[in-house]
Amino acid sequence: MIIVMKADILPESPEVADVIRLAERYPDVRAVARKIEGATRVLTEVYLLGSTSTLPQEPFEEFPAVEKVIRIRERYRSIGRHAGQVEAIGFEYNGVRFSQDDFHIFPGLCAVDTPENTEAMFRALKAVGVVTTRAGAYKPRTSPYDFQGHGKACLPYVFELAGRYGIRVIAMEITHEAQIDEIRQALAAAGQCTGVMLQIGTRNAQNFELLKAVGQQREFPVLFKRGMGITLDESLNACEYVANSGNNRILFCLRGMKTQLGEPHRNLVDFGHVPVVRRLTRLPVCIDPSHSVGKKDVAPDGILDIAHVTAQGIIAGANMVLVDFHPKPEQALCDGPQALLLNELDYFLRDAQLVRKAYLERCALRATIGGGATLTDQR
Ligand code: PEP
Ligand code: MN
């Protein structure tokens, strides 16, 4: 059950304490208050956990500070979009706002290799006014003999350069919880000149201890990548571990599914699930066209498959695009064949914005026939 408090009631307020006190008078019920930054307002929700199925709603509805009481489905208790709950989960991090209404592109290095390439990447981003990027320091590789990333050794120059070129958020994968501290310390040493979004890679989608660790800290938002060989339901449940541990500043990323049926692409592109994740959860949805397609093949219209699938995700409502670029892809130590060139950056961004505009026009067109959004799949 979720108790939605009226506007301006903070999690620390006496009104919330009253609700929690009443809830915890019932046997085996635990209550947690969370601040939700919705698209239009900030509000507090109190989550009642444990034996809540027989809990009456009325005593909670009687509190003057309670707006409404929502009985939630068992599935996706924290990240789910439950009947009657209209606020999507949004948040601001280091001056950048993320929600199901926002849109950002994170072009950048799959893996950090040299300070020179990192600087060339960031300089190119600044030239086109982009403040969000990706930069892998800790790389989970299929073979132990492949480049594993420079790890914490590269963080000082990555953060210093990010600050210098006005980068506000870097999506950076972590493979072990100890790396959260390494990132925190390096950011402090660099004077907090940039921000980091902790990326959970597809290979760690069910590493529950790592998910709990990123959920227990609230400093950094989390980019959760769908597991490549598990169902969407299993990935959403795994993602629920992050929110359930206390951090609901999460983006859910689609990155293609591992199956030979996706060939000749690296993975079977799953961006048809963008509206599904937006409907089942309140999280902003990211797409990763680079790891989905994995190569720079060009269609007869001259457009790269990577740009085509990017458009497919954006036209369906994606809120973020994570995409590989490299100044010299032939020298890249990881995933060079799928990296776009810096001189393709401006074109890629313009193409993506064109499609985003078309998506917004589609929404406006839909709104003209009335009825608003309908939530049909409430499983
Ligand atoms: C990545 O984004 O660098 C990556 C390894 O992606 P994934 O976990 O989706 O394979
Ligand atoms: Mn990669």
Side-chain angles (χ1 to χ4, degrees):
M1 199 144 89
I2 300 177
I3 320 281
V4 182
M5 306 300 294
K6 287 191 175 148
D8 304 327
I9 306 273
L10 298 172
E12 311 69 41
S13 66
E15 290 87 346
V16 171
D18 288 344
V19 169
I20 293 178
R21 204 170 309 114
L22 173 65
E24 297 194 334
R25 288 220 315 252
Y26 292 90
D28 302 320
V29 171
R30 194 164 58 85
V32 189
R34 296 206 179 114
K35 192 168 138 196
I36 302 291
E37 294 176 51
T40 53
R41 56 186 186 152
V42 174
L43 47 80
T44 298
E45 293 180 349
V46 183
Y47 288 69
L48 306 193
L49 309 168
S51 309
T52 59
S53 55
T54 55
L55 215 55
Q57 277 180 229
E58 298 73 25
F60 296 99
E61 284 164 347
E62 279 163 15
F63 283 107
V66 167
E67 183 176 295
K68 62 182 165 185
V69 176
I70 299 169
R71 210 168 260 295
I72 55 174
R73 295 171 288 145
E74 284 305 299
R75 296 200 318 161
Y76 323 138
R77 286 184 184 207
S78 298
I79 63 171
R81 183 191 285 274
H82 305 287
Q85 200 177 30
V86 288
E87 273 327 299
I89 296 177
F91 61 91
E92 189 171 314
Y93 175 65
N94 207 24
V96 183
R97 181 147 182 91
F98 297 92
S99 75
Q100 286 197 347
D101 293 324
D102 292 286
F103 180 65
H104 301 286
I105 304 183
F106 280 55
L109 304 172
C110 175
V112 172
D113 41 30
T114 65
E116 293 72 29
N117 286 335
T118 309
E119 181 161 13
M121 185 71 237
F122 292 175
R123 191 188 300 116
L125 293 172
K126 187 174 167 67
V128 291
V130 171
V131 298
T132 47
T133 191
R134 55 161 297 148
Y138 308 96
K139 296 304 300 177
R141 303 304 299 277
T142 304
S143 163
Y145 308 109
D146 287 341
F147 174 61
Q148 305 286 307
H150 290 310
K152 71 174 177 183
C154 69
L155 300 182
Y157 70 77
V158 171
F159 294 158
E160 190 272 316
L161 287 166
R164 196 184 315 162
Y165 288 97
I167 302 292
R168 303 202 69 88
V169 187
I170 306 173
M172 182 174 279
E173 177 162 1
I174 60 160
T175 54
H176 191 281
E177 67 170 285
Q179 294 155 359
I180 306 175
D181 267 336
E182 293 178 1
I183 291 171
R184 190 180 285 122
Q185 283 164 18
L187 275 177
Q192 311 292 353
C193 60
T194 188
V196 170
M197 177 181 282
L198 301 176
Q199 186 175 319
I200 299 296
T202 194
R203 292 161 186 80
N204 278 312
Q206 284 186 310
N207 181 341
F208 299 116
E209 297 311 314
L210 184 61
L211 296 173
K212 286 186 219 165
V214 295
Q216 279 157 8
Q217 62 78 40
R218 301 203 189 169
E219 191 176 344
F220 305 111
V222 176
L223 180 63
F224 174 90
K225 284 192 143 189
R226 175 185 191 168
M228 65 172 111
I230 56 177
T231 63
L232 183 61
D233 177 54
E234 286 164 333
S235 281
L236 291 172
N237 268 302
C239 190
E240 182 80 12
Y241 270 88
V242 180
N244 176 267
S245 305
N247 185 358
N248 59 14
R249 303 206 293 173
I250 308 170
L251 292 99
F252 189 93
C253 183
L254 299 168
R255 47 81 70 208
M257 306 303 298
K258 190 178 183 70
T259 158
Q260 287 177 343
L261 300 177
E263 285 172 6
H265 290 164
R266 179 172 174 179
N267 288 295
L268 183 64
V269 182
D270 55 350
F271 299 166
H273 280 169
V274 169
V276 179
V277 179
R278 283 168 54 98
R279 181 169 65 242
L280 290 178
T281 79
R282 298 190 285 162
L283 306 180
V285 179
C286 174
I287 53 166
D288 178 343
S290 304
H291 289 83
S292 299
V293 171
K295 49 163 70 157
K296 291 190 69 182
D297 283 353
V298 179
D301 51 22
I303 299 174
L304 290 163
D305 288 11
I306 289 178
H308 270 303
V309 304
T310 301
Q312 289 160 15
I314 298 172
I315 203 75
N319 304 106
M320 171 173 160
V321 179
L322 192 71
V323 55
D324 288 6
F325 275 78
H326 197 285
K328 297 177 190 131
E330 65 290 352
Q331 290 174 15
L333 298 176
C334 184
D335 286 347
Q338 69 195 27
L340 305 186
L341 296 162
L342 298 190
N343 64 15
E344 292 171 306
L345 180 59
D346 182 56
Y347 150 74
F348 183 86
L349 297 175
R350 284 167 50 196
D351 189 39
Q353 290 298 348
L354 197 70
V355 186
R356 173 69 180 171
K357 186 161 166 280
Y359 167 70
L360 295 176
E361 283 173 15
R362 292 179 69 212
C363 294
L365 176 64
R366 176 63 183 80
T368 61
I369 64 165
T374 48
L375 298 181
T376 49
D377 185 357
Q378 288 291 335
R379 282 169 303 140

